[in-house]
Amino acid sequence: MNSLELFSGIGGMATGLEAAGFRHLDLFESDPSCIETLNQNLENNTIKSGFEPPSAKDVRNFDFRKFEGKVSLLSGGPPCQPFSFGGSHRAAKDQRNMFPEAIRAVKEARPRAFLFENVPGIMRPRFQNYFEYLRLSLSYPDVEEVLGEDWVSKLTRLEKHHTSKARSRLGYRVVIQSTNAADYGIPQTRQRVFLVGIREDITKSWSFPCATHSAAALEASKLTGEYAERHKLVDATRPKSGAQFSFEADPSVGTKPWVTLRDAIMDLPDPEIGEGNFIHGHTFKGGARAYKGHTGSKLDVPAKTLKAGVNGVPGGENMLIKDDGSVRYLTIRECARVQTFPDSFVFHHVWSRAVRQLGNAVPVKLATVIGESLRNTLRT
């Protein structure tokens, strides 16, 4: 099945969707540093190249009608800064808000389904009306713009259209899901919002994939000693049972344990003594220190959300707490493991730039889980 991706970044979602069976007709990205990383991984065949090597493409200047009738899935992660808790909080007033372009791409390419990802902040109360405007705009992308009309006025027209008997020429059934990546086997507690639309002429129903992993199942594996035995932990470093989570009677039935940071990086050599220099991106970076609000990730739970950071080097949360209580920065390769990129994926050699790119990425395996579910629905 053919797909098209906007705002690709370094290709986390694209790599995951490719693993789910989608073939990308094109990737759109405007940041030169991300394009450099994309092209490196096209060259080594980590991302399959069924299209021209990406170059800086501004979606605002592109006519997506050339893809009409050719695309099963349109995906992407519109820039999150207008909505993130650490961003500008300006939503529609932020020039970096690319949701209008995503909506236009849906209207012009008319994919059978779309998949967009963003930060939880987009659903906060102050953006509630604008978020409803986005939902209805994606549900009815063919409702025409009126010259000079602001989004508030168009929201009124969309609400009237939604509650009327009028049928759109192009309509989508939109599902919105807030997820924790750890619940799908990603070694990171990363909260994100997904907006998924299925075109109305697709008769098969779809629902967001159910969680496959749980905190309670991880706690159970610690209580039985299985986790400590698997990692050969001595008594001093064994996780204390009951210390991390509170859970109901038996909510872990049918789920696997959350994947911890130790699970994700246990087979990588120690970078502090130079053993990792032969692995791409696994070079030690000194200077890590803990301070209030930046204490690093514990080894025996999923990592904290990998941060892209603002105003320079990413924040101190991109660290791990060692068994002796000291901290060190995660290497680029360890950050890639946290985001479930394959070990064959290469990144910029500068730590801060690579980690910023990784912090903005969609976890590869999470994209695969969602992509496989969508592909099964679109197959009929």
Side-chain angles (χ1 to χ4, degrees), residues 15 185-188 335-342 362-367:
T15 304
I186 312 304
Q188 180 184 186
C335 290
R337 288 281 186 94
V338 165
Q339 287 282 56
T340 61
F341 278 83
V362 174
V364 173
K365 290 185 178 178
L366 180 55

Side-chain angles (χ1 to χ4, degrees), residues 113-134:
F114 61 76
L115 168 64
F116 296 125
E117 176 261 6
N118 217 271
V119 292
I122 197 172
M123 295 182 70
R124 73 176 99 169
R126 69 180 296 174
F127 298 148
Q128 183 174 352
N129 289 346
Y130 187 69
F131 189 69
E132 177 66 2
Y133 163 74
L134 294 179

Side-chain angles (χ1 to χ4, degrees), residues 92-156:
K93 297 179 181 178
D94 195 313
Q95 292 184 346
R96 294 169 295 183
N97 176 27
M98 290 290 112
F99 265 103
E101 296 304 319
I103 294 165
R104 181 177 65 84
V106 171
K107 175 183 176 180
E108 293 179 354
R110 303 172 70 90
R112 300 178 69 205
F114 61 76
L115 168 64
F116 296 125
E117 176 261 6
N118 217 271
V119 292
I122 197 172
M123 295 182 70
R124 73 176 99 169
R126 69 180 296 174
F127 298 148
Q128 183 174 352
N129 289 346
Y130 187 69
F131 189 69
E132 177 66 2
Y133 163 74
L134 294 179
R135 185 185 73 83
L136 290 176
S137 294
L138 287 167
S139 299
Y140 311 108
D142 61 342
V143 172
E144 296 293 339
E145 302 284 341
V146 173
L147 186 64
E149 181 182 46
D150 61 18
W151 71 266
V152 177
S153 299
K154 186 174 181 182
L155 173 58
T156 299

Side-chain angles (χ1 to χ4, degrees), residues 210-221:
C210 294
T212 54
H213 296 65
S214 72
L218 173 61
E219 181 67 2
S221 75

Side-chain angles (χ1 to χ4, degrees), residues 12 32 37 53 66 82 97 106 112 140 148 160 171 183 202 212 241 258 263 268 301 306 325:
T37 300
K66 65 179 286 187
N97 176 27
V106 171
R112 300 178 69 205
Y140 311 108
K160 289 180 178 179
D183 292 338
I202 306 299
T212 54
S241 61
W258 268 358
D263 289 329
L268 289 173
V301 291
L306 194 69

